[in-house]
Amino acid sequence: MSRSKAEMRAIFDKVSNWGRWGKDDERGTLNYLTSQKTAVAAQLVKTGQTISCARNFPVHPGPENPTPALHHIVMGGDDPCAHGIPGMEVSLDFIGIAYHGLASSHIDALCHVFVDGKMYNGFPATEVRSTGARRNSIMAARDGICGRGVLLDIPRLRGASYVDPKQPVTPQELSDAETTQDVRVQEGDVLLVSVGRDAFREKHPPMPGDGPLLAGLSPDCIPWLFDRRIAVLGSDAVHDSTPSPDPIEDWTIPVHMCGLVAMGLHLLDNLYLADLEKACAKARRWEFLLMVAPLRVEKGTGSPVNPIAVL
Amino acid sequence: MSRSKAEMRAIFDKVSNWGRWGKDDERGTLNYLTSQKTAVAAQLVKTGQTISCARNFPVHPGPENPTPALHHIVMGGDDPCAHGIPGMEVSLDFIGIAYHGLASSHIDALCHVFVDGKMYNGFPATEVRSTGARRNSIMAARDGICGRGVLLDIPRLRGASYVDPKQPVTPQELSDAETTQDVRVQEGDVLLVSVGRDAFREKHPPMPGDGPLLAGLSPDCIPWLFDRRIAVLGSDAVHDSTPSPDPIEDWTIPVHMCGLVAMGLHLLDNLYLADLEKACAKARRWEFLLMVAPLRVEKGTGSPVNPIAVL
Amino acid sequence: MSRSKAEMRAIFDKVSNWGRWGKDDERGTLNYLTSQKTAVAAQLVKTGQTISCARNFPVHPGPENPTPALHHIVMGGDDPCAHGIPGMEVSLDFIGIAYHGLASSHIDALCHVFVDGKMYNGFPATEVRSTGARRNSIMAARDGICGRGVLLDIPRLRGASYVDPKQPVTPQELSDAETTQDVRVQEGDVLLVSVGRDAFREKHPPMPGDGPLLAGLSPDCIPWLFDRRIAVLGSDAVHDSTPSPDPIEDWTIPVHMCGLVAMGLHLLDNLYLADLEKACAKARRWEFLLMVAPLRVEKGTGSPVNPIAVL
Amino acid sequence: MSRSKAEMRAIFDKVSNWGRWGKDDERGTLNYLTSQKTAVAAQLVKTGQTISCARNFPVHPGPENPTPALHHIVMGGDDPCAHGIPGMEVSLDFIGIAYHGLASSHIDALCHVFVDGKMYNGFPATEVRSTGARRNSIMAARDGICGRGVLLDIPRLRGASYVDPKQPVTPQELSDAETTQDVRVQEGDVLLVSVGRDAFREKHPPMPGDGPLLAGLSPDCIPWLFDRRIAVLGSDAVHDSTPSPDPIEDWTIPVHMCGLVAMGLHLLDNLYLADLEKACAKARRWEFLLMVAPLRVEKGTGSPVNPIAVL
């Protein structure tokens, strides 16, 4: 359903968690994921199979990767003693990445997005200085995120291999997926919603010159996510349809804006979920232990991550 | 006990796992950490408390950090619409790091060290090209490492706050710590051996101009580690005394060399263990679920990591 | 005229300067640019107008820029005292670039290209280690290149605004441009050959998905360049037609291969020559003082540069 | 003579060029270096010897280099066809640098320093955004700086090999050097003042743990520099004594502050002048053509440079 910007503003206000955990809170919905919930989640492990939910470090240029990551060998097997220390033969490398965007599996800190010059819990955008974020940095998640993961497989629900980018996921579909998958999203969960991004690209490889085309959630899903009190939201794409088939003036990335800013909901972008989808379908079970460990960048706006599902 | 280089070579040969898992194996002792062991480890979780075992991203220069990591804000709160997309206010950053060394919490891939021009399982060092590692890259651990973590707290054993760098840890001490801590290191474990690095530096801050001074394991520990068939070894320092109080000609970093190259044992360097030590002592329990998730760098020699212990 | 690979090999051998300046020479045709010639070139200055021949630092992604350069503000006007030193307000930045390619104005060192595993003067390609170039690095030009610059304006010769990429420049055209421009290319010169790259792109902006399309010199020009004993060759494109309208098996970039490797001719790629073309046409004079100052990267394969023409 | 901060403020106001070239001027004293002066300077060339005034790209950590530059081989001679294009064997590298500081030869743009939140010509410091400098960027010098270079060799004046860091250079010494060297600093010149930094370090290598120790100009020199209407000021150190033997409250780097901000005087830091000193002494001539070519970083706060003196 097409939304006006006034309606989006109303949704934003309705799903706001500002002040819920105190005026200085920087953790947002991570507060729902208590130690107790972590302990319960650990009990979900059955086979012990570990599945990565990340893409490879995105060093290759491409339509969805205009600023590729850097991976440089600093010392290789052709000169392993170059450091000059006798009795030591090593290889060394360097990695560099501006991980926000469409190519890298990463987590957004709550300072990554602003609405009208404010971030989660009302801190001014200017608290993200040229020298780093003074509020809402990724350090909010420095001890890791370890909880109950739930995968809602929307392509499976639709009987297709992917979600058509022109048909964003609806809240009714989130509930229907729960039903068909016999799983219920609960407070403190790390919810992964799959849109079959990679299956889409296999069927529809980008033509030379194509821009990005990623399926996403309808903004209508935002209240659903709020009501379920999830701790973190993840996707194999970027949550927001990119581009939107139904753009809303001033609200280019509504899920990011309402999620990160209003709800204080950390987001996992560009995950790789095809392996997890297969494993869950095979086990007929879509809940598991999920672990996400951001790098501890003191004033960072997020981090590349490799979330691990344990079945 | 001081070792000759011939003795070190004999140890190296004795702890070799080359061929144990086939001539093309690149996972080494990760093979000990089966799904079954992961499932059993998940049962260790009691309170659900999560504790990071990593240091902050090492951006500050220092005696142990001559090539600091890079953290640059690419777009901050003073120019959040610079990308030109209306209705989108964001902050973005870039991180870069050559993570090997003494400052960054990271995992060494099996291609990081060579002995006589060969890496684990006999692959030539030249397989680590200027363009990346063709063998034994960090992709061996791409699905994460999730297993039983055991912390052997050696300062606690010694009744001190840190291990004196001139008195490396002995294998007898590893066994004694097991006894006093009532925990036994088993096949497939992720073993963390603490030397109280940070407590040492608190008591003995580096004087201007001091070089590094890190306590480590005596090379005599190497057969002990081999016999226990651990999957991964971690430390709050770098395993090898740096510098060694008892250097062995041609064997500058014996634990690294015998571990990574002979045993195929992945190593976690420069962890931060002070918080974990306290929590374990309080709970009087030194086993826990431990999860390590390297970034999936396709030809990488390792990765910065933030290992998470779940108690 | 279409060349076979045997013919290319013959040209390569014919234009070889290996051994001409001794078996250890790493400067190649820079040897032609003597102090004496520099002094004579300084006399060419008339008005003193300085014109940059470089493009802006290529930070914007694009079809010809798949791995853009990095420019990050490290400390900006919103936090100028972050360094903690009282009485000091500063802004700081970081630049990073892998400058080879089609986007950055740069100079190629003689170690940048190999033919059959050898670089200029027969040094093995393996002398360019993962740790840097041990031979033929950019340090050969560390004291700058300051000499007589000559611009051959081929679009002007053809009465067009650009060279059609399907009609590479011929040696006869190089001579004809000399005639119509009343200038003669001499030993020790820095020769700039303009193909109107930017005018071409203005008329023919790349369609979404287009690959690169750059006009260049026919391989037939190679003996002409050798005979004139120029010191350096520059272009607003990359010398070699990209892609070639007449590819030669095994010789993808013949001018680079014969130039850098056989002749020891340093190359300037991706210059911006439109301003220089205009100024020369206005003054009716196509010779000037030209200065190129590579960064002194000790084992570098080249450098970003901003060549300055002084009229 | 020790200055109070009120006196420094008075000097600052006295040497201000704000508004001299219009309220929107961003070039400052570069305006003194006209084409005419460039043409005259070219006539200074006698032997044509070119001498680099730069240090090597600072990749090695050290006391004066806490954040070393990056130089990474991206593709080396051990894998020159890794790009997959047949018939092309290449080596490629990457460089990265945060060049401000004490180690890199670089030019400061006028936006590099602020006094009381303002840069040259009164633009607010906040015009240097997290996304780059909107005013007074290095693009003011994009067409290169090519003019009369004058070297004042202060160690030579003092009959020593270096200037004692505890005895900053006085304005009387600048005039005396002119006399003994029979050269007069004129409007539009690029003035290089040598303090023998490298000779000092040869005699007094830093002890482990030493901080920086660089000789500089007394703040009393500032009016002298203003009166002479020089275009650019260069040094083999950083102009300001570091640390100052006579610190002035609120004025940590007075030459930088009065130079860049009040006068609009571009600065060249950390040059290497030992070779130029020798050549000038041998020729008994301390004026020459000098060329500086910053990289064209569109919103940069400066650039690494390799200034070339042509004798």
Side-chain angles (χ1 to χ4, degrees), chain A residues 227-302:
Chain A
D227 290 338
R228 293 311 185 90
R229 295 186 296 277
I230 58 174
V232 176
L233 175 67
S235 171
D236 49 347
V238 290
H239 315 285
D240 290 293
S241 305
T242 305
S244 172
D246 197 9
I248 304 166
E249 187 190 3
D250 287 357
W251 292 85
T252 307
I253 44 173
V255 178
H256 270 77
M257 295 163 79
C258 294
L260 286 169
V261 185
M263 290 168 54
L265 172 69
H266 282 77
L267 298 176
L268 297 165
D269 293 357
N270 303 312
L271 300 184
Y272 182 76
L273 296 177
D275 293 340
L276 184 59
E277 289 167 19
K278 285 195 200 76
C280 287
K282 184 173 177 186
R284 302 198 61 79
R285 195 164 162 267
W286 285 267
E287 59 173 2
F288 37 82
L289 179 65
L290 185 70
M291 191 274 284
V292 187
L295 297 177
R296 298 176 55 131
V297 184
E298 284 183 85
K299 299 182 185 179
T301 75

Side-chain angles (χ1 to χ4, degrees), chain D residues 122 236 242 277:
Chain D
D236 48 349
T242 305
E277 290 166 19

Side-chain angles (χ1 to χ4, degrees), chain D:
Chain D
M1 178 180 85
S2 192
R3 295 271 185 188
S4 72
K5 65 178 183 174
E7 287 171 324
M8 271 313 310
R9 186 73 221 199
I11 291 176
F12 181 92
D13 293 336
K14 192 155 164 292
V15 302
S16 170
N17 279 322
W18 294 15
R20 178 186 299 277
W21 296 285
K23 67 176 184 57
D24 287 320
D25 178 64
E26 298 183 32
R27 302 192 74 237
T29 58
L30 287 180
N31 285 300
Y32 285 137
L33 179 45
T34 60
S35 301
Q36 196 171 19
K37 290 203 177 297
T38 297
V40 168
Q43 297 306 313
L44 292 173
V45 174
K46 304 240 176 302
T47 66
Q49 179 189 13
T50 61
I51 297 178
S52 161
C53 299
R55 295 162 191 287
N56 289 345
F57 201 64
V59 294
H60 305 293
E64 287 165 6
N65 197 14
T67 58
L70 309 177
H71 177 226
H72 304 148
I73 294 294
V74 170
M75 190 175 299
D78 65 349
D79 206 7
C81 301
H83 46 71
I85 303 170
M88 202 168 105
E89 304 164 46
V90 296
S91 64
L92 310 171
D93 56 358
F94 167 93
I95 59 172
I97 182 169
Y99 51 86
H100 289 292
L102 307 179
S104 153
S105 299
H106 67 276
I107 182 169
D108 291 336
L110 297 184
C111 63
H112 170 51
V113 173
F114 317 114
V115 172
D116 294 335
K118 288 189 156 52
M119 44 177 151
Y120 166 70
N121 222 7
F123 301 118
T126 50
E127 286 286 83
V128 182
R129 301 287 174 101
S130 54
T131 47
R134 298 176 170 213
R135 290 282 195 177
N136 288 339
S137 79
I138 195 55
M139 290 296 275
R142 67 184 173 276
D143 282 301
I145 295 165
C146 181
R148 177 180 186 244
V150 173
L151 172 66
L152 294 182
D153 187 336
I154 306 302
R156 184 179 181 273
L157 177 74
R158 292 190 181 184
S161 48
Y162 57 81
V163 167
D164 178 340
K166 293 200 219 63
Q167 307 285 347
V169 180
T170 68
Q172 186 59 51
E173 287 183 305
L174 297 178
S175 298
D176 289 347
E178 285 184 304
T179 303
T180 69
Q181 290 174 209
D182 190 26
V183 69
R184 172 131 183 119
V185 175
Q186 299 165 2
E187 174 175 320
D189 282 353
V190 179
L191 171 61
L192 307 180
V193 180
S194 162
V195 294
R197 169 202 190 144
D198 298 276
F200 175 76
R201 272 312 183 197
E202 243 176 278
K203 285 262 161 66
H204 303 277
M207 300 305 296
D210 278 359
L213 186 54
L214 300 166
L217 305 180
S218 159
D220 296 337
C221 293
I222 294 166
W224 192 103
L225 300 168
F226 174 76
D227 290 340
R228 295 313 185 88
R229 297 187 295 276
I230 58 174
V232 177
L233 176 66
S235 171
D236 48 349
V238 291
H239 315 284
D240 290 292
S241 304
T242 305
S244 172
D246 196 10
I248 303 166
E249 187 191 2
D250 286 0
W251 292 85
T252 308
I253 45 173
V255 178
H256 270 77
M257 295 163 81
C258 293
L260 287 169
V261 185
M263 289 168 55
L265 173 68
H266 282 77
L267 298 177
L268 297 166
D269 292 358
N270 303 314
L271 300 185
Y272 182 75
L273 295 177
D275 293 340
L276 184 59
E277 290 166 19
K278 286 195 199 75
C280 287
K282 184 171 176 188
R284 302 197 60 79
R285 195 164 162 268
W286 286 267
E287 59 174 2
F288 37 83
L289 180 65
L290 185 69
M291 309 176 85
V292 187
L295 297 178
R296 297 176 55 131
V297 184
E298 284 183 85
K299 300 181 183 179
T301 76
S303 174
V305 289
N306 180 9
I308 305 295
V310 189
L311 276 56

